[in-house]
């Protein structure tokens, strides 16, 4: 079962064009939807999850017409929204039991087994009796996934799940997603490039409501290889370089700006070729990154 989105457009009543002719083909496995804040990711996720209607376009999940058969989609959908509330005074086990009942799993023995399996899968079994009000961000997100997995969805949508998680929790969360199953369509929306790099077999970048790139992350990297160049520049000349070259990112290494540029040919002028990263692809497509990281070389 794959998800096929064709020419989806949405303009909000305030005039913001959140989606512009978005077409994507999402096969089973993990699909990374990458884009800056305001790109339209949540709008797209909510539309696929049948929570809002587009102005134009179509979405097919296998042979289900998503926009016309929302009930059929909801039976096979797991959705972890960007923000969700949990009853703080209930334990993780009670929360899962509650949602399993809502999903129609009425036989108590079956529900008990399912809840235990989900708690194990999301590494929450040891804290199952604790109130979720005391959970860390990462634990809450894992519980959110456990809820989304009730009923064995064929389509799992997770919207910005790693925002605000520390690196350990982020890894744990992403590994959990990666283990979910090869025949499930998993869409991971994120503004964090690293989330996509290792885990996703397919990816797209969306910016200003448009798909600006779609492909296999490795292939995408191959296409840009040999075209990324780097050099350190004096701070005083930074603006000059920015005016002269297509600077895709700037970072500080021990206080000195190091710029990366995209170019088909060697720019000369002290630039050296570098191995591209997915960040380069991203910043090349969505516009230059500001000086945002202060890197100090290990002594
Ligand atoms: P992302 O998830 O990539 O941050 P969103 O889909 O949330 O992007 O938003 C895309 C654009 O649509 C943004 O400019 C946002 O301000 C706007 N937007 C989102 N939801 C609404 C809404 N309900 N009404 C009006 N504008 C909205």
């Amino acid at each position: 079962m794959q998800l096929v989105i064709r020419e989806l457009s949405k303009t909000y009543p305030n005039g913001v064009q959140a989606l512009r002719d978005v077409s994507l083909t999402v096969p089973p496995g993990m699909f990374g939807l990458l884009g800056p804040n305001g790109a339209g990711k949540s709008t797209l996720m909510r539309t696929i999850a049948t929570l809002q209607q587009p102005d134009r376009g179509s979405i097919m999940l296998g042979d289900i017409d998503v926009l016309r058969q929302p009930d059929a989609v909801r039976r096979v959908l797991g959705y972890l929204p960007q923000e969700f509330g949990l009853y703080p005074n209930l334990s993780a086990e009670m929360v899962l039991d509650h949602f399993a009942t809502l999903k129609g799993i009425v036989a108590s023995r079956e529900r008990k087994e399912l809840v235990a399996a989900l708690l194990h899968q999301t590494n929450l079994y040891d804290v199952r009796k604790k109130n979720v009000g005391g959970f860390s961000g990462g634990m809450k997100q894992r519980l959110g996934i456990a809820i989304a997995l009730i009923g064995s969805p064929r389509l799992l949508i997770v919207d910005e799940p790693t925002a605000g998680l520390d690196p350990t929790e982020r890894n744990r969360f992403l590994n959990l997603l990666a283990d979910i199953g090869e025949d499930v369509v998993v869409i991971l929306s994120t503004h964090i490039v690293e989330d996509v790099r290792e885990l996703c077999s397919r990816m797209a970048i969306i910016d200003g409501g448009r798909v600006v790139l779609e492909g296999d992350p490795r292939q995408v990297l191959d296409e840009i290889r040999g075209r990324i160049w780097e050099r350190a520049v004096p701070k005083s000349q930074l603006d000059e370089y920015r005016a002269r070259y297509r600077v895709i990112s700037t970072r500080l290494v021990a206080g000195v700006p190091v710029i990366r540029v995209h170019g088909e040919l060697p720019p000369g002028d002290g630039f050296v070729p570098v191995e591209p990263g997915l960040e380069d692809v991203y910043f090349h497509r969505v516009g230059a990154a500001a000086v945002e990281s202060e890197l100090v070389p290990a002594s």
Side-chain angles (χ1 to χ4, degrees):
M1 179 134 85
Q2 65 175 9
L3 183 74
V4 180
I5 299 166
R6 286 288 164 261
E7 294 172 14
L8 209 62
S9 292
K10 171 74 182 178
T11 302
Y12 284 110
N14 63 357
V16 173
Q17 245 188 305
L19 299 175
R20 303 165 192 241
D21 283 329
V22 168
S23 294
L24 285 173
T25 301
V26 186
M30 247 174 97
F31 187 95
L33 182 73
L34 195 57
N37 287 330
K41 301 183 296 298
S42 289
T43 301
L44 182 58
M45 300 295 99
R46 287 197 304 261
T47 309
I48 302 168
T50 73
L51 298 173
Q52 66 180 67
Q53 285 283 326
D55 302 328
R56 273 199 320 278
S58 69
I59 309 174
M60 295 296 294
L61 175 65
D63 49 21
I64 304 173
D65 183 331
V66 173
L67 303 176
R68 295 208 172 83
Q69 299 167 272
D71 289 341
V73 178
R74 286 171 201 155
R75 279 195 283 276
V76 295
L77 170 74
Y79 174 52
L80 179 62
Q82 205 166 349
E83 277 170 21
F84 59 95
L86 290 167
Y87 307 101
N89 297 324
L90 292 187
S91 69
E93 194 173 44
M94 286 155 83
V95 169
L96 276 172
D97 187 78
H98 169 71
F99 279 100
T101 309
L102 287 183
K103 275 251 178 167
I105 303 165
V106 285
S108 68
R109 187 183 174 145
E110 184 194 348
R111 206 165 61 236
K112 212 168 168 189
E113 281 172 8
L114 172 70
V115 167
L118 288 168
L119 286 165
H120 279 298
Q121 187 179 356
T122 52
N123 220 339
L124 291 170
Y125 192 78
D126 293 348
V127 292
R128 68 191 182 283
K129 303 280 183 209
K130 295 212 164 123
N131 284 356
V132 300
F135 273 18
S136 70
M139 289 156 85
K140 281 186 186 143
Q141 289 299 67
R142 279 185 274 135
L143 181 58
I145 279 291
I147 295 168
L149 287 175
I150 296 170
S152 308
R154 308 293 312 278
L155 170 64
L156 181 67
I157 295 176
V158 285
D159 194 358
E160 298 265 2
T162 60
L165 299 190
D166 68 40
T168 312
E169 273 290 8
R170 208 171 82 209
N171 269 338
R172 193 178 252 190
F173 186 87
L174 293 172
N175 287 332
L176 170 63
L177 277 189
D179 276 344
I180 277 169
E182 285 166 10
D183 53 348
V184 179
V185 176
V186 181
I187 308 182
L188 164 69
S189 125
T190 181
H191 64 273
I192 303 170
V193 179
E194 292 99 278
D195 284 355
V196 171
R197 184 166 36 215
E198 275 153 28
L199 291 171
C200 297
S201 48
R202 300 281 300 171
M203 67 173 288
I205 298 177
I206 140 168
D207 188 25
R210 278 201 179 84
V211 176
V212 294
L213 179 140
E214 183 183 4
D216 168 338
R218 272 149 298 196
Q219 247 169 28
V220 161
L221 275 178
D222 285 345
E223 280 162 25
I224 204 174
R225 189 162 284 121
R227 292 172 190 174
I228 303 294
W229 316 86
E230 183 178 280
R231 70 159 291 180
V233 299
K235 253 187 194 150
S236 58
Q237 290 175 28
L238 198 51
D239 286 343
E240 227 172 277
Y241 274 89
R242 285 198 174 129
R244 199 163 352 135
Y245 294 99
R246 214 177 143 189
V247 175
I248 55 172
S249 67
T250 309
R251 67 190 205 283
L252 289 175
V253 179
V256 179
V258 172
I259 58 174
R260 281 189 170 208
V261 303
H262 179 269
E264 304 288 325
L265 299 169
D269 195 15
F271 281 95
V272 294
V274 284
E275 181 62 20
L278 214 47
E279 292 82 5
D280 297 315
V281 176
Y282 181 72
F283 293 130
H284 176 49
R285 296 294 177 142
V286 304
V291 179
E292 56 183 21
S293 51
E294 173 85 19
L295 297 180
V296 182
S299 53

